[in-house]
Amino acid sequence: MNIKLSVFKKFFFSYTLILILPFFIGILIYQNSVNLIVRESISKYTELLNKNMTLIESRLDEIHSIGEQINLNKNITTLINTNKSTLKTIYEYYDAGSSISEYALTNNLIIDYFVILDTHNRVVTPNYVVTNESFGNLYKYTSETNINFTGQYHYREFINIYDYKKNGVKRDVIFYVQSLPIGSLNKIRGTLLIVLDKNKFSNLFLPISFSNEENIYVLDQNNKLLFSSNYSSEIADPGKNIKSGSYYFEDEKEYLLCHMESGMGWTYYAKIPKTALLSSFDSLKFLLIYSSIIFVILTFIISIYFSNKNTKPLKEIISKIQTLKLLKQYPKRENEYNLIDNALVNLSNANIALRTTVENQTPIIVSNFYKQLVEGFFKTEKEYSSYTSFLNIDSSPDYVMEIIYIEGLESMVSEDLLKEANVIKAIIKDNFQQSNFKPLYYYDMNENSFAVIFSFSPYSQAVKTQLEAFQKNVKDKVLDEYNTLIYFSQSNKTNNLLEIHSLFNQAKQAIEQIKFNQTGYMIYYRDIPKDKDNFYYPIELEFELIGLIKSGETEALKSKLKEIFCENFKSRSLSTEKTFQLVNLMKGSVLREFRQKLKNDNLKNLIANLENTSSTDEIFNLIVRIKTAYSNMISSIKEKKKTDLRNDIILFIEKNYRDPNFSIIEAANHFNRSEAFMYQFFKDNFSHSFYSYLENLRIKAACGLIVQGKLTIKEISSKTGYSNDTTFRRAFKRIMHVTPTTYKNAVE
């Protein structure tokens, strides 16, 4: 059947729409990226300006601190507070200058500093002392404002100075002026003048990384340039009326301008050409144009390819539907999806029928399970746990077994007697089914006997009395209608399903006793006289013990040994001679089985003690200890092998989980095991199934890579064994209950 053209068109249109949509999204992303880079640049420059302002003002605070230290200097204070006439010698000026010489060492912005003493007509420096007139001749400068060093109070003033000359060398500097003593507005006795190098201020600026056309500069209160990051001596002032973070034109170029004002009246500016700011997008713009043409062509080709690719499975599915004959007829004009839907409906109906068949087979499975319990097929609880889990069987109630024996069919068996026996069996079973004592299972032993398993919660004396009364009625009914006697034997009770086989043996012993004595219609195992002249140790029991030992089932072994002990030494109360025969039989069995196999020193010592012991009690105790110890040793070996295999599997998975094609098949092949074994091994020894464990390991590794923050989500998905990031995101959400992006943002 050919796929209709309409299906192809739908796929083609969908793929074209999906593929072309990212193109328009890309254009929007480009425009938003331009806007974003501008916003980030504004934020960056604002932050950079703030850092530079903080840095420079911290250095200016150092200047203030130096001024306060000079103000408090003992020698300077003495000169300020005295007149020239009171001085004893001129060396007191030099001493004062020398005492302040170390202050300039802590700040590289300082070129010179002077203390102008108004009442002394002297200027004190760290190196010399001159008169006020000589100081004016030595140091020349140009200032926007007229500076009056005497008679006017100055407090922490910074003054922009041009053409500062010292010994004929010209510099641009800033004067720091502070009247002395600080705080004495009406008693000005002198002035501290600190000369600061503008170029050193320029060195303090933190750099910008766009181009060499950007600039950071500072203007004073009069909007005159103080210093800049590119050491310019002149700069065009755009004015504070331009909003910070806006564009403006200067020399036919467009600049981005950011500015902020400090507390002392200086204004910090940062500007960068818009062309430099967006230069990284020029290549992207041209790339977008050329790629658009290529993208449209590729979109057309890819849409055709994927449309064909996605219609191909439809053809294959319909072909398989035809091959499997899931539909009786195939209308030519029927929509392909409707055909598949009809086929799935038929398949679902077949599945329901199969499920019904399985449910109908459940009674057979239950019957087979109890049959194997009766016949002693299961040796450990682990062997039947899958049955109890599947069949939802409760193993906690009290279990009791009975054997119903029909008298008169041992010697002569005719077809009529067999029919009559079958009728009697049917009547008995029907009476049980209509009563409150519905057995779990009927086990046919022979023509005249069958066993039943009862389950009680619990098996109390009252229940026992009611059961006896019911069975008496059944016995009387059979006797009246068929003139045939039936007898009942009952085992002890247990709440361990593994002991069902033992209960069966107890009921058999009891029924043999009632056949022999023929007293009463009901006999309990605990009431039968025990054979004190023979011990209980059949050959099949010995084989069962050996099997439990070799399989390392220590608990089941202890239970079976306890059963042997109770039966022989409590129930039968064997004579000394029979006790001696039993323990020596068991001793010989142990020596034959284990003497040459033991490498453990402790077990060797136990064997040696057994060989040299004649006390029956000691022999039996040693037998129990040897069998238990050997079973423990086997169990330990098996557990170690299981642990080693578990660790090897973990290492193998950790080595290969990054492979997207890694599966349980590779693991099974590597360890020479079947897939079924690997599935069961994971079920028994891991808290997860194989694929659940693998997925958790991959997601754990992905979380570690996300925390590192070096890879994208797509890269992480490929490095943790996922064929695509979509599958990875679904798995991550399923395990972590959040998306990878949300997890990444939370970590950051």
Side-chain angles (χ1 to χ4, degrees):
M1 178 178 291
N2 295 325
I3 297 296
K4 294 182 178 179
L5 187 61
S6 60
V7 177
F8 176 85
K9 286 181 178 180
K10 290 177 182 179
F11 274 114
F12 180 79
F13 176 76
S14 300
Y15 278 116
T16 302
L17 181 62
I18 292 171
L19 291 172
I20 210 72
L21 187 60
F23 172 71
F24 294 106
I25 294 175
I27 295 175
L28 294 175
I29 291 174
Y30 171 80
Q31 187 60 45
N32 288 332
S33 298
V34 172
N35 297 333
L36 179 63
I37 198 68
V38 171
R39 289 196 298 271
E40 289 183 349
S41 299
I42 293 171
S43 176
K44 176 181 177 181
Y45 276 118
T46 303
E47 182 180 358
L48 186 62
L49 279 176
N50 187 55
K51 287 182 179 179
N52 281 310
M53 183 176 72
T54 302
L55 176 61
I56 291 172
E57 295 206 348
S58 68
R59 300 303 301 274
L60 296 180
D61 287 338
E62 294 177 14
I63 303 299
H64 296 322
S65 178
I66 291 172
E68 291 175 354
Q69 292 178 49
I70 293 174
N71 176 67
L72 298 174
N73 183 276
K74 182 178 179 181
N75 294 331
I76 296 298
T77 302
T78 300
L79 292 176
I80 289 174
N81 294 326
T82 59
N83 295 322
K84 178 181 178 182
S85 58
T86 61
L87 294 178
K88 298 178 180 179
T89 172
I90 194 171
Y91 290 107
E92 292 187 41
Y93 294 112
Y94 287 102
D95 290 341
S98 176
S99 67
I100 64 173
S101 61
E102 62 183 13
Y103 295 137
L105 300 177
T106 60
N107 195 306
N108 64 346
L109 299 175
I110 299 175
I111 300 175
D112 288 313
Y113 54 98
F114 316 96
V115 178
I116 303 172
L117 302 172
D118 295 348
T119 57
H120 295 255
N121 193 27
R122 292 286 188 275
V123 177
V124 176
T125 74
N127 301 314
Y128 49 84
V129 180
V130 296
T131 63
N132 290 356
E133 292 78 10
S134 299
F135 174 73
N137 294 328
L138 288 173
Y139 300 95
K140 303 292 185 180
Y141 60 88
T142 303
S143 173
E144 293 290 335
T145 59
N146 184 25
I147 306 173
N148 182 9
F149 291 119
T150 60
Q152 181 179 348
Y153 185 77
H154 301 276
Y155 181 71
R156 293 186 174 185
E157 292 184 17
F158 291 92
I159 303 173
N160 199 4
I161 302 298
Y162 307 98
D163 300 333
Y164 173 76
K165 292 181 180 179
K166 175 183 178 183
N167 298 328
V169 179
K170 181 179 177 181
R171 291 186 180 181
D172 286 341
V173 300
I174 298 173
F175 279 177
Y176 173 77
V177 185
Q178 174 64 58
S179 296
L180 301 175
I182 296 175
S184 298
L185 301 179
N186 299 323
K187 294 182 180 181
I188 302 171
R189 307 299 295 269
T191 304
L192 171 63
L193 178 63
I194 301 178
V195 183
L196 307 175
D197 190 347
K198 285 186 178 181
N199 288 335
K200 294 290 180 64
F201 276 99
S202 297
N203 292 337
L204 294 176
F205 282 115
L206 299 173
I208 313 175
S209 57
F210 283 104
S211 72
N212 53 11
E213 294 185 64
E214 75 272 357
N215 190 16
I216 298 179
Y217 56 92
V218 182
L219 303 183
D220 64 8
Q221 300 91 327
N222 300 316
N223 288 335
K224 299 298 181 181
L225 178 66
L226 288 170
F227 41 84
S228 67
S229 61
N230 61 6
Y231 304 96
S232 302
S233 58
E234 294 183 1
I235 195 165
D237 177 23
K240 297 181 183 179
N241 57 332
I242 296 178
K243 183 181 178 182
S244 180
S246 303
Y247 288 109
Y248 80 100
F249 284 92
E250 179 184 314
D251 297 332
E252 298 182 352
K253 287 186 178 180
E254 192 172 9
Y255 290 87
L256 175 66
L257 182 70
C258 297
H259 58 78
M260 62 177 57
E261 188 171 345
S262 71
M264 56 188 299
W266 291 2
T267 306
Y268 291 74
Y269 288 88
K271 70 174 185 177
I272 181 173
K274 184 178 181 180
T275 54
L277 188 68
L278 303 179
S279 59
S280 59
F281 286 93
D282 290 340
S283 58
L284 182 61
K285 180 171 64 177
F286 291 108
L287 179 63
L288 186 63
I289 294 172
Y290 292 118
S291 63
S292 299
I293 300 172
I294 298 173
F295 188 84
V296 171
I297 297 173
L298 287 177
T299 298
F300 181 78
I301 295 172
I302 292 172
S303 296
I304 292 176
Y305 170 76
F306 279 104
S307 296
N308 282 321
K309 182 179 179 181
N310 283 278
T311 53
K312 183 179 178 181
L314 284 174
K315 295 179 181 179
E316 293 176 351
I317 291 172
I318 293 175
S319 176
K320 289 181 180 179
I321 290 173
Q322 291 173 322
T323 303
L324 297 173
K325 298 180 180 179
L326 296 178
L327 292 176
K328 295 180 179 179
Q329 56 182 354
Y330 301 87
K332 292 183 177 180
R333 296 186 178 183
E334 183 71 55
N335 182 278
E336 291 76 17
Y337 294 108
N338 291 338
L339 288 176
I340 295 173
D341 182 65
N342 293 334
L344 289 175
V345 169
N346 290 346
L347 191 62
S348 175
N349 293 335
N351 182 50
I352 293 172
L354 178 62
R355 188 182 306 157
T356 303
T357 302
V358 171
E359 291 175 354
N360 292 336
Q361 295 296 320
T362 299
I364 299 175
I365 299 173
V366 172
S367 177
N368 183 63
F369 169 64
Y370 284 116
K371 182 175 183 291
Q372 293 182 87
L373 282 174
V374 171
E375 294 177 353
F377 178 81
F378 300 114
K379 307 302 180 187
T380 65
E381 182 179 345
K382 183 178 178 181
E383 293 179 11
Y384 68 73
S385 59
S386 58
Y387 275 95
T388 55
S389 176
F390 173 73
L391 299 173
N392 197 26
I393 294 175
D394 185 7
S395 59
S396 60
D398 290 336
Y399 294 98
V400 173
M401 280 207 72
E402 282 194 357
I403 291 178
I404 294 90
Y405 165 67
I406 304 172
E407 188 183 49
L409 296 179
E410 287 85 353
S411 56
M412 293 180 57
V413 178
S414 64
E415 185 176 347
D416 292 337
L417 287 176
L418 287 177
K419 288 182 180 180
E420 183 177 323
N422 289 333
V423 171
I424 293 172
K425 285 182 182 180
I427 291 173
I428 296 171
K429 292 177 182 179
D430 184 63
N431 276 270
F432 273 124
Q433 290 302 118
Q434 295 181 21
S435 70
N436 296 327
F437 308 103
K438 293 181 177 135
L440 296 176
Y441 175 64
Y442 298 96
Y443 179 76
D444 284 317
M445 299 168 60
N446 49 45
E447 294 83 358
N448 61 343
S449 300
F450 66 94
V452 293
I453 302 176
F454 291 108
S455 170
F456 301 105
S457 298
Y459 185 52
S460 62
Q461 182 61 40
V463 173
K464 176 188 170 187
T465 303
Q466 293 173 12
L467 182 59
E468 286 178 351
F470 168 75
Q471 290 174 338
K472 184 178 184 303
N473 289 334
V474 173
K475 186 256 310 180
D476 293 341
K477 183 183 295 185
V478 172
L479 182 62
D480 290 342
E481 293 184 12
Y482 296 95
N483 195 29
T484 301
L485 290 173
I486 60 173
Y487 300 94
F488 300 87
S489 70
Q490 189 180 109
S491 68
N492 294 335
K493 68 178 180 180
T494 184
N495 56 9
N496 185 352
L497 283 171
L498 278 179
E499 296 181 4
I500 292 292
H501 179 60
S502 297
L503 298 187
F504 179 58
N505 289 330
Q506 292 176 6
K508 283 200 297 184
Q509 293 181 48
I511 205 67
E512 291 299 323
Q513 184 66 31
I514 207 170
K515 287 181 188 178
F516 180 75
N517 291 328
Q518 291 188 349
T519 55
Y521 70 95
M522 181 76 189
I523 188 169
Y524 295 92
Y525 172 75
R526 64 175 178 273
D527 296 334
I528 66 174
K530 307 303 179 183
D531 185 2
K532 298 182 180 181
D533 295 329
N534 292 294
F535 53 77
Y536 171 68
Y537 192 65
I539 188 66
E540 61 268 18
L541 183 57
E542 181 174 349
F543 288 148
E544 187 176 354
L545 289 174
I546 293 172
L548 291 173
I549 293 170
K550 289 183 176 180
S551 62
E553 303 293 345
T554 305
E555 293 303 318
L557 174 66
K558 288 180 178 179
S559 176
K560 192 58 66 176
L561 289 170
K562 180 181 178 182
E563 178 186 332
I564 294 171
F565 179 83
C566 292
E567 177 63 28
N568 288 285
F569 301 114
K570 290 186 177 180
S571 298
R572 302 196 178 205
S573 302
L574 293 176
S575 64
T576 304
E577 179 184 356
K578 291 299 179 180
T579 300
F580 181 77
Q581 290 178 8
L582 172 61
V583 295
N584 277 280
L585 177 63
M586 296 179 70
K587 173 181 176 180
S589 175
V590 169
L591 293 176
R592 286 193 308 273
E593 185 67 27
F594 303 116
R595 181 188 284 121
Q596 303 300 325
K597 297 182 180 180
L598 299 179
K599 297 180 180 180
N600 183 284
D601 291 338
N602 179 48
L603 288 171
K604 287 180 179 179
N605 292 334
L606 291 174
I607 289 291
N609 292 338
L610 181 63
E611 290 177 327
N612 299 321
T613 300
S614 58
S615 169
T616 55
D617 291 340
E618 184 63 24
I619 289 174
F620 189 83
N621 289 333
L622 284 170
I623 289 171
V624 173
R625 290 174 63 188
I626 290 169
K627 288 178 180 286
T628 304
Y630 191 81
S631 177
N632 285 332
M633 185 180 73
I634 296 297
S635 179
S636 298
I637 293 171
K638 289 175 63 178
E639 190 64 31
K640 184 179 184 304
K641 288 182 179 179
K642 183 169 66 176
T643 302
D644 291 344
L645 178 59
R646 185 180 189 276
N647 293 335
D648 290 343
I649 290 173
I650 290 173
L651 292 175
F652 184 72
I653 294 175
E654 289 178 349
K655 182 180 178 181
N656 293 277
Y657 75 89
R658 297 174 185 84
D659 181 5
N661 298 319
F662 180 66
S663 69
I664 197 171
I665 298 174
E666 283 73 21
N669 292 338
H670 179 79
F671 293 101
N672 295 320
R673 310 281 183 166
S674 66
E675 290 180 51
F677 172 86
M678 294 299 289
Y679 278 117
Q680 189 62 41
F681 188 83
F682 260 84
K683 179 181 178 181
D684 295 339
N685 298 279
F686 291 81
S687 57
H688 303 276
S689 67
F690 174 84
Y691 289 104
S692 177
Y693 180 87
L694 178 62
E695 187 171 80
N696 276 276
L697 179 62
R698 285 171 169 171
I699 297 303
K700 181 180 178 182
C703 289
L705 293 175
I706 290 174
V707 170
Q708 291 178 10
K710 297 179 180 179
L711 301 175
T712 64
I713 298 299
K714 187 173 183 179
E715 291 171 335
I716 290 172
S717 69
S718 65
K719 286 185 176 294
T720 51
Y722 290 93
S723 56
N724 58 74
D725 60 328
T726 302
T727 305
F728 167 70
R729 291 175 187 275
R730 289 174 181 168
F732 195 96
K733 179 71 179 294
R734 185 165 54 251
I735 300 298
M736 302 300 294
H737 307 295
V738 294
T739 64
T741 304
T742 303
Y743 184 84
K744 183 177 181 181
N745 293 337
V747 170
E748 291 176 350

